[in-house]
Amino acid sequence: MAIKVACPTWFSVGVFTLVQVAIDVETVWNILAGNYPTHGPLHTLPGGLLMALVAIAPGRWGVSRLYAAIRRCWPGAPLGDVSWKAAIGGGLIGGVSHVLLDALIHDDVKPFAPWSAGNPLFVSGSFVWVHVACAVVGGAGLLVWWG
């Protein structure tokens, strides 16, 4: 939400969210299947960018349709059609930020694969504070955007 406030025409929260969820489908699948590591190829910078590129066009279409349905039920909703510019911005930022933030909190994420097999970004004990920081920044952005 903070990015939406800073760059309102260049960022779609809906497409950003879609990419975030799409990347984590891999993790859910691996957990359910009992596979380790749980974070695989989509949790690399190339994988996150690939998922973003795959999701941008259908995300733009789907999120625009979702927003139109919300506006029918709630005419004052501040949700317009998603532009290509916003879809691309939200998708790319979603793909990259997901990988980088997960790399901070999960040691099995390999953000720079295939060039590096390690995770130089991992910070032991960072799980809670990264989530709290995201909630605080996101909540502040939501308050500014909504107000």
Side-chain angles (χ1 to χ4, degrees), residues 1 5 20 25 28 30 32 43-44 55 58 62 73 78 81 83 106 114 122:
M1 289 310 305
V5 169
Q20 298 284 322
V25 166
V28 171
N30 284 332
L32 293 175
H43 283 80
T44 65
C73 298
D81 286 339
S83 69
H106 299 291
F122 176 67

Side-chain angles (χ1 to χ4, degrees), residues 14-120:
V15 176
F16 172 87
T17 303
L18 176 68
V19 171
Q20 298 284 322
V21 171
I23 290 172
D24 268 344
V25 166
E26 170 189 52
T27 304
V28 171
W29 173 263
N30 284 332
I31 290 169
L32 293 175
N35 297 333
Y36 187 85
T38 57
H39 298 91
L42 294 181
H43 283 80
T44 65
L45 288 173
L49 288 170
L50 177 63
M51 181 54 70
L53 294 174
V54 166
I56 286 169
R60 177 181 179 262
W61 180 85
V63 171
S64 290
R65 297 308 168 278
L66 174 64
Y67 289 175
I70 292 170
R71 286 192 309 269
R72 283 193 295 277
C73 298
W74 181 23
L79 303 168
D81 286 339
V82 177
S83 69
W84 279 109
K85 176 173 55 174
I88 292 167
L92 293 177
I93 291 170
V96 170
S97 67
H98 188 112
V99 171
L100 295 178
L101 288 170
D102 268 9
L104 287 173
I105 63 176
H106 299 291
D107 63 347
D108 67 331
V109 173
K110 308 300 182 218
F112 304 111
W115 306 285
S116 170
N119 182 356

